[in-house]
Amino acid sequence: VLALYSQSRSSNAGTRSQIRRSLDTFARASYVPTRLDTDLRPSILNGDYALVIITGNAGDGKTAFIQQLEETVQTSLDTTDFVPSPSGNGANFVYKGHRFLTNYDGSQDEGQINNDEVLAHFFRPFGGPGPIKVKGETNLIAINEGRLVDFLQSHQKDFPYLYQQAHDFLERQRPLGIGVLIVNLNLR
């Protein structure tokens, strides 16, 4: 029981499933659908956003939400090319002709690839100074807010627009530009 809550001194491994390819039996049975599932999931699957960033604390359900979304599409006839990432930290798939790339934990290395390289690759389509114009593709990531801010601050030259969007949203509660969505679970 001590390992079930996110800030447990023993371990929070029971609340984190990013290293598994899917939710374990306990996590699946104890998963409680929220507005993320009822409101956000359909919007993501409709391709309403090019980039969806879900931030929050360990154990908040960021990874579980992404994996539940993936389980939904894996059983759909509208899904093709579902390929889990070799590191087990996400997947790449096509749903209703729209490509998706997921990352369960944007704060971790992937084998021999350090975290900065992982994030640079994941965010590459959203680099540059102008508004996000990626069409037909959605990147969905679960990442600790501090790690997101740290990465974007140290890579401002490569991601100036994305840095400004994240900074304005997280620090000043300003609305985001078209195509990007940040869900901060710390604000609920």
Side-chain angles (χ1 to χ4, degrees):
V1 172
L2 291 175
L4 295 178
Y5 67 97
S6 66
Q7 304 306 316
S8 171
R9 289 187 181 141
S10 313
S11 167
N12 70 347
T15 64
R16 304 198 62 178
S17 55
Q18 79 272 3
I19 59 172
R20 295 176 221 127
R21 294 204 187 258
S22 64
L23 296 172
D24 64 23
T25 304
F26 178 78
R28 189 177 297 104
S30 62
Y31 185 83
V32 177
T34 66
R35 287 184 52 210
L36 290 174
D37 302 284
T38 59
D39 298 347
L40 182 58
R41 183 186 307 173
S43 183
I44 291 171
L45 292 177
N46 283 337
D48 293 348
Y49 305 99
L51 176 62
V52 179
I53 301 169
I54 303 175
T55 67
N57 295 316
D60 276 349
K62 301 177 302 291
T63 298
F65 168 74
I66 294 171
Q67 290 178 333
Q68 289 282 64
L69 180 142
E70 289 178 350
E71 285 186 8
T72 298
V73 301
Q74 280 182 296
T75 60
S76 170
L77 297 176
D78 295 318
T79 303
T80 59
D81 304 326
F82 192 97
V83 180
S85 70
S87 67
N89 192 31
N92 192 331
F93 59 92
V94 176
Y95 177 73
K96 294 185 177 179
H98 190 88
R99 179 155 300 280
F100 291 85
L101 176 65
T102 63
N103 183 304
Y104 303 149
D105 185 353
S107 302
Q108 75 176 26
D109 295 341
E110 291 184 2
Q112 299 300 315
I113 305 171
N114 77 38
N115 184 245
D116 269 8
E117 292 176 59
V118 171
L119 293 176
H121 176 75
F122 184 86
F123 289 122
R124 183 173 295 130
F126 313 105
I132 292 172
K133 297 180 181 175
V134 177
K135 300 279 189 219
E137 186 175 316
T138 296
N139 285 18
L140 172 60
I141 189 169
I143 186 170
N144 174 280
E145 180 181 338
R147 180 61 186 124
L148 173 67
V149 170
D150 178 58
F151 174 79
L152 291 175
Q153 279 179 338
S154 62
H155 292 84
Q156 281 183 58
K157 65 178 179 36
D158 298 321
F159 304 99
Y161 180 80
L162 184 56
Y163 166 76
Q164 195 62 53
Q165 289 291 298
H167 179 267
D168 287 352
F169 177 78
L170 295 169
E171 298 295 323
R172 300 181 179 142
Q173 289 78 47
R174 291 190 180 155
L176 294 162
I178 295 171
V180 64
L181 176 68
I182 299 175
V183 177
N184 188 348
L185 296 179
N186 291 324
L187 299 178
R188 59 186 166 158

